Amino acid sequence: MIDIKQNYFELFALPVSYKLDAVQLSGRYRELQKVLHPDRFAHLSERERRLSEQYTAFLNEAQATLKTPLRRAQYLLTLQGIDTLAETSVKMDAAFLMQQMTLREALEEAGGAVDPEVALAQLSDEVCGNLKAQRQQFEALYNAADYEGAAGAVRRMQFLEKLALEIEAREDELLD
Amino acid sequence: MAYSDKVIDHYENPRNVGKMDADDSNVGTGMVGAPACGDVMRLQIKVSDEGVIEDAKFKTYGCGSAIASSSLVTEWVKGMTLDQAADLKNAEIAEELALPPVKIHCSVLAEDAIKAAITDYREKQK
């Protein structure tokens, strides 16, 4: 059985780091899934079956968290006692916010462009480039144990990820 | 979660959406953001030589409560002196819009935005 008091990295026998061994993660995930397969619990008591469901939920949450770069970064910070998702009032750099405003305005205007698909693709490239740069910054700061600095990079990633999702949604609308 | 009628009203008919020239010496610009939800808010004020807010504009990318909070603030601050506007409390915004506890931070964002705009304007006068 699995120990739900372990942190997610321990669960998958991974080092606590932003750099991820994706093969190890998916391999160990499949192993643990087998251990927790409902068929193996079918003959057991309801209490034990419910426990196995809880373990499965824990396992899936752990896997989804580590697999996604932003969620992995957020999780690494929670292990350091910083929860960037619970923050409600944080001062952000004015220049960064200005850029976010401009990018969102560009997304709004992309619909009216001569070729909306091209406009959206360009915007998407720009946002993905920014995201990549923030991920690299996060990794460098985290590895240097500058957790406050790393939290800044995660906050910027949170804005950019949301925007990337909105661009994707707009692209889907165009295809419909 | 259900939005209050007032939030819906401001969301569907936002007041004073727009942009002012940030380089104008009579204009103060406040830019704030909420990283947890990725909301971005810009609130601008145009101040008369007597220190009264003549006009206010906003643009918010965010949820209904964030849009309503900033829309309401632009309505309220018009005609106020800078000191009166700086005194605006998020609790007043939250109460007027009947924001639920999980959305209180949207009213905080709007309060931060008007304060940032006032600070920006005052910096320019130096």
Side-chain angles (χ1 to χ4, degrees), chain A residues 47-105:
Chain A
R47 184 182 165 273
E48 282 168 306
R49 261 180 293 159
R50 219 172 322 133
L51 263 180
S52 94
E53 276 166 24
Q54 276 177 24
Y55 289 145
T56 302
F58 177 77
L59 175 67
N60 289 339
E61 174 66 16
Q63 189 258 359
T65 302
L66 294 194
K67 203 179 64 178
T68 327
L70 174 58
R71 293 189 62 188
R72 186 165 69 250
Q74 288 163 338
Y75 184 70
L76 282 166
L77 289 178
T78 62
L79 294 179
Q80 298 298 331
I82 302 173
D83 186 352
T84 56
L85 285 174
E87 298 168 333
T88 50
S89 192
V90 186
K91 273 261 169 298
M92 294 293 299
D93 173 59
F96 175 77
L97 287 174
M98 204 71 89
Q99 181 206 26
Q100 292 308 300
M101 189 56 91
T102 310
L103 287 170
R104 280 158 179 76
E105 281 168 347

Side-chain angles (χ1 to χ4, degrees), chain A residues 70 74 84-85 87-88 90-93 96-101 103-104 127 130-131 134 151-167, chain B residues 31-41 61-62 109:
Chain A
L70 174 58
Q74 288 163 338
T84 56
L85 285 174
E87 298 168 333
T88 50
V90 186
K91 273 261 169 298
M92 294 293 299
D93 173 59
F96 175 77
L97 287 174
M98 204 71 89
Q99 181 206 26
Q100 292 308 300
M101 189 56 91
L103 287 170
R104 280 158 179 76
V127 172
N130 285 343
L131 255 175
Q134 293 301 334
V154 163
R155 289 178 197 121
R156 291 189 286 278
M157 279 157 75
Q158 286 169 184
F159 281 99
L160 290 162
E161 288 267 0
K162 186 181 182 195
L163 181 58
L165 284 176
E166 281 167 16
I167 296 172
Chain B
M31 289 281 304
V32 291
C37 35
D39 290 358
V40 195
M41 186 181 286
Y61 291 95
L109 204 59

Side-chain angles (χ1 to χ4, degrees), chain A residues 109-145:
Chain A
E109 286 155 14
V114 184
D115 192 339
E117 273 179 57
V118 173
L120 283 175
Q122 279 172 351
L123 194 59
S124 176
D125 283 349
E126 189 179 347
V127 172
C128 287
N130 285 343
L131 255 175
K132 205 173 152 200
Q134 293 301 334
R135 284 178 191 153
Q136 284 166 348
Q137 257 193 48
F138 172 84
E139 188 169 12
L141 291 162
Y142 178 84
N143 289 344

